[in-house]
């Protein structure tokens, strides 16, 4: 069985999410949403269930290669901390994971990892092949890009266990969930996590009043460095669009990295003065931090969102979007903009 990678565009995914959530609402389903490992209204199959599809199966990796997975995994090593939250959200049996650079789990899913007994392997950027061997995994997940990437070690990891390569920066957490669901035989769990989140988004959209005009999404770092600005159809923009916001698209010519990215335009600080949206959401910040940073920057005083006093944090855990952090984002939007 060959597993196709998820190639849906963000607009297609967004439309599918809205249709799915609308169907749930018509059916009278309750709404919840969380980048958390939670259950949907329909009973989900447990990991390792015998209705999880045909094995062996072939996974199409992000680097163009393929990996044969002989049987449904029961002991997954995630070498990419940015992907571990999505594995937990679909109830995948991840037992060992790399951590952030400080040796910690991401806060949004740390409780879920502790409850599942997940062990720490190594900090991002400091991989340890001996630790991978000691984990005795039957599936290894590797990121192709990012600080936690181990694409150059795939050959060594393949000697330990079947190793799949994903690119979490190229899509939404929903696309990644479907992809990982196919690799692990947890397609039902992946779809349930998405449906649950869609229901929460629909419920929240009905409760909030969206400010007039456009909104933008900024990872504010101040002068002297990059200040990434979210694409309208990136992971953050897709969530906000589903909630009813219209997202300002950053100028592609501002991008300072060699290759274009699907999630952000990495812009120099001075380009922040050219933003025109009436509302700004600041990544990796609560409302107070957003106001004390972006909202109080004298150079940005004439930016419409700053002049309007409409600068908000998108949440301390909002930079890397998985189901757990996406839920935090939506719940915060509800708190701020509920009627």
């Amino acid at each position: 069985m060959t597993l196709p990678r998820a190639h849906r565009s963000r607009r297609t995914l967004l439309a599918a999410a809205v249709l799915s959530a609308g169907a749930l609402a018509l059916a009278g389903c309750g709404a919840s949403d969380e980048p958390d490992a939670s259950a949907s209204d329909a009973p989900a199959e447990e990991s390792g269930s015998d209705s999880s599809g045909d094995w062996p199966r072939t996974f199409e990796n992000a680097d163009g290669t393929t990996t044969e997975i002989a049987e449904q995994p029961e002991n997954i090593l995630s070498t990419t901390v940015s992907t571990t939250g999505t594995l937990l959200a679909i109830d995948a049996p991840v037992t060992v994971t790399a951590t952030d650079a400080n040796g910690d789990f991401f806060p949004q899913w740390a409780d879920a990892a502790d409850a599942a007994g997940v062990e720490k392997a190594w900090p991002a950027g400091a991989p340890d092949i001996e630790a991978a061997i000691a984990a005795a995994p039957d599936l290894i997940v590797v990121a192709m890009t990012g600080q936690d990437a181990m694409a150059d070690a795939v050959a060594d990891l393949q000697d330990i266990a079947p190793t799949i390569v994903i690119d979490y920066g190229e899509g939404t957490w929903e696309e990644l969930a479907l992809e990982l669901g196919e690799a692990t035989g947890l397609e039902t769990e992946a779809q349930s996590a998405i449906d649950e989140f869609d229901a929460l988004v629909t419920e929240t959209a009905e409760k909030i009043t969206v400010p007039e005009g456009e909104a933008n999404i900024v990872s504010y770092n101040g002068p002297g460095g990059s200040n990434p600005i979210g694409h309208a159809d990136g992971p953050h923009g897709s969530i906000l669009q589903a909630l009813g916001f219209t997202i300002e698209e950053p100028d592609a010519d501002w991008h300072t990295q060699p290759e274009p990215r699907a999630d952000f335009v990495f812009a120099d600080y001075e380009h922040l003065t050219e933003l025109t949206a009436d509302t700004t959401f600041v990544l990796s910040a609560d409302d107070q931090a957003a106001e004390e940073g972006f909202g109080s920057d004298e150079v940005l005083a004439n930016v419409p969102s700053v002049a309007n006093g409409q600068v908000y944090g998108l949440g301390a855990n909002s930079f890397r979007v998985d189901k757990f952090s996406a839920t935090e984002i939506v719940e915060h939007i509800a708190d701020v903009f509920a009627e």
Side-chain angles (χ1 to χ4, degrees), residues 218-235:
V218 178
S219 180
Y220 175 73
N221 297 309
S226 272
N227 287 262
I229 304 168
H231 281 295
D233 290 334

Side-chain angles (χ1 to χ4, degrees), residues 299-313:
V299 174
L300 306 178
N302 293 322
V303 171
S305 61
V306 176
N308 296 339
Q310 293 182 181
V311 175
Y312 305 96

Side-chain angles (χ1 to χ4, degrees), residues 11-273:
R11 290 195 185 277
T12 302
L13 181 64
L14 180 62
V18 171
L19 288 172
S20 173
L24 283 171
L26 288 172
C29 294
S32 62
D33 121 270
E34 312 180 12
D36 229 20
S38 9
S40 69
D41 292 329
E45 299 175 60
E46 294 184 1
S47 300
S49 61
D50 58 9
S51 58
S52 55
D54 299 327
W55 303 89
R57 53 180 63 183
T58 302
F59 185 85
E60 296 183 6
N61 294 308
D63 62 2
T65 64
T66 60
T67 297
E68 181 172 296
I69 306 171
E71 55 188 7
Q72 187 172 22
E74 297 180 354
N75 181 19
I76 297 173
L77 164 62
S78 174
T79 70
T80 161
V81 65
S82 297
T83 300
T84 302
T86 302
L87 287 165
L88 289 168
I90 67 172
D91 294 330
V94 54
T95 56
V96 183
T97 182
T99 66
D100 67 16
N102 296 320
D104 299 321
F105 294 144
F106 281 174
Q108 66 263 31
W109 48 259
D111 288 345
D114 287 339
V118 179
E119 297 182 357
K120 298 175 180 179
W122 55 75
D128 183 343
I129 294 296
E130 294 302 319
I133 295 171
D138 53 16
L139 181 69
I140 302 173
V141 181
V142 169
M144 190 168 73
T145 59
Q147 186 179 3
D148 53 2
M150 284 188 66
D152 57 351
V154 168
D156 292 332
L157 294 171
Q158 287 279 22
D159 289 338
I160 301 170
T163 301
I164 62 173
V165 182
I166 54 90
D167 187 351
Y168 59 74
E170 275 300 306
T172 62
W173 75 263
E174 292 98 327
E175 290 174 307
L176 180 60
L178 292 173
E179 195 172 351
L180 292 172
E182 292 171 339
T184 58
L186 299 173
E187 295 92 337
T188 298
E189 288 81 353
Q191 189 60 55
S192 293
I194 294 168
D195 291 345
E196 183 177 55
F197 180 73
D198 290 345
L200 176 65
V201 170
T202 298
E203 179 187 47
T204 301
E206 293 171 351
K207 296 192 305 186
I208 65 174
T209 298
V210 175
E212 293 184 3
E214 292 185 322
N216 52 43
I217 305 151
V218 178
S219 180
Y220 175 73
N221 297 309
S226 272
N227 287 262
I229 304 168
H231 281 295
D233 290 334
H236 305 90
S238 294
I239 294 172
L240 291 173
Q241 286 191 78
L243 290 168
F245 291 84
T246 301
I247 305 302
E248 175 185 4
E249 178 63 27
D251 190 330
D253 290 338
W254 297 348
H255 191 59
T256 58
Q257 294 196 341
E259 298 295 330
R261 289 178 59 119
D263 48 3
F264 296 104
V265 165
F266 278 69
D268 288 331
Y269 170 72
E270 56 265 25
H271 289 303
L272 297 181
T273 63

